[in-house]
Structure formats: C-alpha cells, structure tokens
Amino acid sequence: MKRKRLEAAADFLRRKAGGDLDAAIVLGSGFGGVLRERIDGGTVPYGKIEGMPEPTVPGHAGEAHIGTLHGRRVVAFSGRFHLYEGRATHDVIYPVAAAAHAGAKTVVLTNAAGGVNTGFHTGDLMLIADQLNLTGTSPLLGAALLPGQEQRFVDMVDAYSPGLRKLARHVAGEYGISLQEGVYAGLLGPTYETPAEARYLRRIGADAVGMSTVLETIAARALGREVIGFSLITNVHGAGAPTSHEEVIAAAAAAAENVARLIEGLVANL
Ligand code: HPA
C-alpha cells in the first residue's frame, strides 16, 4: 500500500470534513443510503478519493458521505470492495486505512449476513462480538507493514471493542432496538454456504456468516483503531423454507433505519 496515496486520500477526507476525522463507517449491502441525510456535509464519488478502487458490485454505490454527525467528523463509505470480486486485500481495506490515516479512532462496520445460529431470525441485528477469519488471507501479509502499522504481530483479543459494544447495547436499549450478539465468520464467497458448511460453521462457533468485514477489522486493529460491527441477518441457514426476497428486502429496509439510529447514537457518545 502506497503511503503517499493514502496520505493524499486522508488529506482529502480531512479537508472535506473540516479537520481530523473522529469515526469512519462502512455501509454494507442494503445499508447504502442510511446515513446520507443524517450527515451534515457532502457526498463524493470514490473516484475523487486518491487511490480508491472503483466498485463493481450493484448495490454498492461507491460514494463517501463526509461531514459531521452529532458534532463528530465522520466519513461513511457506501460501497465496499470484496475478495470475491478478485480484489487484492489492500483494495478491500483501503477505505478503512484512508480513514484511519485521516485520524478516525473508531471504525463502524456493517454488513448483511446469513444466520447459522438457528435461534436467529431474518431481520435480526447482530452486534459482532468476535470474528472467525476464514478467508485464508490477511491484509497484513507482506514484507512491509501497513503505513501507520507499528507492530508486525497484532493482538486480536477484544478486536471488537468491549466498551463500544457496551455503548451499543445501551443505545439500542434506549431506542427499543433488539440486538443479538455473536461471532461473525468471514468467508471468501461468492457462493453461499452449503448445508454442510453452515453446520460446520455453527460447530466451530459462528453465529453469522458473510463475505466481508474480517479483513477491515484486522487492518483497523493493526492501525490501533477501535472497531464495532453490526450484521443484519438477511437469511437463516437450516431454517427449512427458503426466505422470500420480498421478506429480506423489507427486513433490510426496517433494519437499515435502526442501524442508522444506532450509529448516530454511538457517534454522539464517542
Ligand atoms: N452467506 C454469506 N454471505 C451472506 C449470506 C449468507 O447466507 N447472507 C447475506 N450475506
């Protein structure tokens, strides 16, 4: 990862936000627009940000909302980069790395995920307590450390900040939003899991499964940032009947609003 590019991207983010960032938010599938109208600032296409890869997946718009949210300077990335698109790990983590270089101390990650915990239901929101990186790769591979990374070996205990999780539970309680909490398994994709894979994931301790997030968390921790993550459960493996697309879309729309309120409440209390 080129330090110069990252610095140029960070300078741009700072300029747009009016100073060092406080937080970065990554919006997963279905969450695209949720923070746009809440952030007092502007929206820029990824093309305007130095070094940013171009998104290819529909539903991942590829724009950054930059400004203030409850007095905190934030960037919300709408559109992310995935390994299943054939992306390099450094493309996947670029938005998080750029925001970290612009000063963001907190990284909020959101995603859509399948439930492998059979107690979960479509439309549930899960606070990520921990992760299983099953992608078979890491953004920290290579001779050089990431720009801004101080140590080769990165501790991953409490990768998802206990303090931020407590705050999230508190905010959710205040707003009457129910939250599951569990382990997110990040896989390569792009296939969804076979029933055998879903059973395997459950047995090794996963509650939800998806194709993003884990590398971003690793990068954020390597750069010394605090991470919090939310998974919207769009389908539950082993639930018997296939979930209807309409149901998933409706659940996503309802949950997206809750996610926006949660993030707003969190950011206000940073
Ligand atoms: N598996 C992997 N990724 C997903 C799923 C799933 O079931 N649902 C949404 N994203």
Side-chain angles (χ1 to χ4, degrees):
M1 187 169 292
K2 301 233 167 44
R3 185 182 290 268
K4 269 220 165 104
R5 278 196 168 162
L6 211 50
E7 290 298 345
D11 284 346
F12 177 83
L13 294 175
R14 276 197 202 94
R15 212 161 47 240
K16 288 277 175 196
D20 268 7
L21 296 182
D22 296 300
I25 302 144
V26 180
L27 301 166
S29 321
F31 294 121
V34 298
L35 283 172
R36 193 185 181 133
E37 58 276 20
R38 287 175 157 87
I39 293 173
D40 188 6
T43 296
V44 299
Y46 281 179
K48 294 240 188 276
I49 304 173
E50 181 82 20
M52 193 74 130
E54 288 275 321
T56 58
V57 180
H60 290 263
E63 47 188 33
H65 314 298
I66 312 166
T68 54
L69 181 65
H70 275 274
R72 307 275 188 267
R73 283 187 285 270
V74 302
V75 57
F77 294 105
S78 182
R80 56 151 62 93
F81 308 102
H82 303 87
L83 293 171
Y84 63 73
E85 299 166 65
R87 303 282 188 177
T89 57
H90 284 184
D91 280 355
V92 173
I93 65 159
Y94 196 84
V96 165
H101 277 254
K105 291 177 209 66
T106 304
V107 176
V108 183
L109 301 173
T110 66
N111 60 51
V116 291
N117 180 332
T118 49
F120 284 5
H121 299 95
T122 296
D124 280 357
L125 256 187
M126 185 188 87
L127 180 58
I128 304 178
D130 202 349
Q131 73 178 28
L132 289 160
N133 173 17
L134 301 178
T135 63
T137 190
S138 166
L140 309 184
L141 299 180
L145 304 187
L146 291 179
Q149 184 186 348
E150 287 176 3
Q151 289 175 334
R152 166 97 287 182
F153 300 104
V154 177
D155 182 61
M156 288 294 284
V157 174
D158 293 335
Y160 293 88
S161 159
L164 290 176
R165 278 155 52 206
K166 189 170 169 199
L167 180 58
R169 286 190 293 267
H170 175 76
V171 172
E174 297 263 292
Y175 294 166
I177 297 169
S178 61
L179 268 188
Q180 304 279 12
E181 190 162 353
V183 174
Y184 176 89
L187 276 65
L188 263 185
T191 47
Y192 291 118
E193 297 65 40
T194 63
E197 286 164 346
R199 287 193 301 273
Y200 161 78
L201 290 168
R202 183 69 192 137
R203 290 187 69 160
I204 65 169
D207 295 286
V209 55
M211 306 171 192
S212 68
T213 305
V214 293
L215 302 188
E216 291 152 89
T217 295
I218 289 171
R221 295 305 293 147
L223 298 174
R225 311 296 140 166
E226 296 278 292
V227 179
I228 182 151
F230 299 98
S231 293
L232 165 61
I233 306 300
T234 59
N235 53 292
V236 179
H237 289 273
T243 326
S244 85
H245 184 61
E246 290 72 22
E247 215 172 30
V248 170
I249 297 299
E257 187 57 31
N258 280 342
V259 169
R261 290 164 66 212
L262 265 177
I263 292 173
E264 203 175 5
L266 263 173
V267 168
N269 285 285
L270 285 179

